[in-house]
Amino acid sequence: MDDGRKAFGQYVYQDKRYGPIIRIFDFIVSSKEKVDSNKLDKSNLRFPPIFMVGLYPVFRTGRWKVLGKSTLEDFTYPGFLTTAIDYKEKNHGFWFLIDEKSSTNLGRTLPKKYKKMEFLALYPPEVIEDRIKTGLKYLGDLIETNEFKPVVKN
């Protein structure tokens, strides 16, 4: 990362519609620290799996590095949330749960049991790196409160 620390992730699945799904471990070390693979293997996820755009270029350019390969024994498709957002009117439509093969209408108010899920978006490396550092979830306020609060930049 640009602050000299290292974070670790894993490519876990290639979705036919949206592309690569990755997961990021809650395991961050200084640039000089040796990586203990046992600690990495036992670490939790920093946030649920997400889609990534630009997976292959990020390695070709050297921005991220491949440290090794491991077999993922029991991947379960995590499912993702989506809704139509009207930026002008500052509201949203019905929530949908998107899984590997279908979508389910969840209604206008997102049920509590889905609030830990990720919004369906294709995240570039810069956004993923920022999320690792800040912990801020894309559209987290909308998911949590069911109210659309657009960020206004001056």
Side-chain angles (χ1 to χ4, degrees):
M1 295 189 299
D2 62 5
D3 62 3
R5 297 179 300 157
K6 294 184 216 175
F8 300 87
Q10 183 179 33
Y11 163 71
V12 294
Y13 187 76
Q14 181 68 33
D15 183 277
K16 291 177 183 165
R17 296 173 297 174
Y18 303 110
I21 297 176
I22 65 165
R23 61 186 187 173
I24 304 295
F25 296 102
D26 196 12
F27 185 79
I28 297 175
V29 298
S30 72
S31 61
K32 296 175 184 171
E33 193 173 336
K34 286 192 174 185
V35 178
D36 182 341
S37 62
N38 290 324
K39 285 184 182 177
L40 180 59
D41 288 341
K42 294 175 185 171
S43 66
N44 294 320
L45 297 181
R46 196 155 183 93
F47 43 85
I50 57 175
F51 286 104
M52 179 179 180
V53 64
L55 177 67
Y56 306 108
V58 82
F59 292 108
R60 276 197 309 270
T61 63
R63 183 179 188 129
W64 294 4
K65 294 180 173 81
V66 174
L67 298 180
K69 294 181 180 183
S70 63
T71 304
L72 193 61
E73 298 294 329
D74 56 350
F75 176 74
T76 301
Y77 195 91
F80 296 89
L81 299 171
T82 192
T83 186
I85 298 174
D86 184 337
Y87 288 89
K88 184 178 178 188
E89 298 296 323
K90 298 181 183 171
N91 63 24
H92 65 86
F94 288 91
W95 285 99
F96 287 88
L97 171 64
I98 308 295
D99 67 22
E100 191 173 13
K101 297 178 181 148
S102 65
S103 63
T104 304
N105 186 330
L106 302 174
R108 292 212 34 103
T109 301
L110 184 64
K112 187 175 183 176
K113 72 179 189 175
Y114 298 102
K115 293 193 182 279
K116 297 274 186 215
M117 297 182 77
E118 290 292 325
F119 195 82
L120 189 142
L122 304 177
Y123 299 97
E126 300 82 8
V127 171
I128 296 168
E129 292 164 5
D130 191 54
R131 172 113 185 247
I132 292 167
K133 290 186 273 186
T134 67
L136 294 177
K137 181 177 183 175
Y138 178 66
L139 295 176
D141 284 347
L142 175 60
I143 291 169
E144 192 56 41
T145 66
N146 213 57
E147 294 177 20
F148 181 60
K149 302 171 189 168
V151 175
V152 178
K153 293 184 179 181
N154 294 330

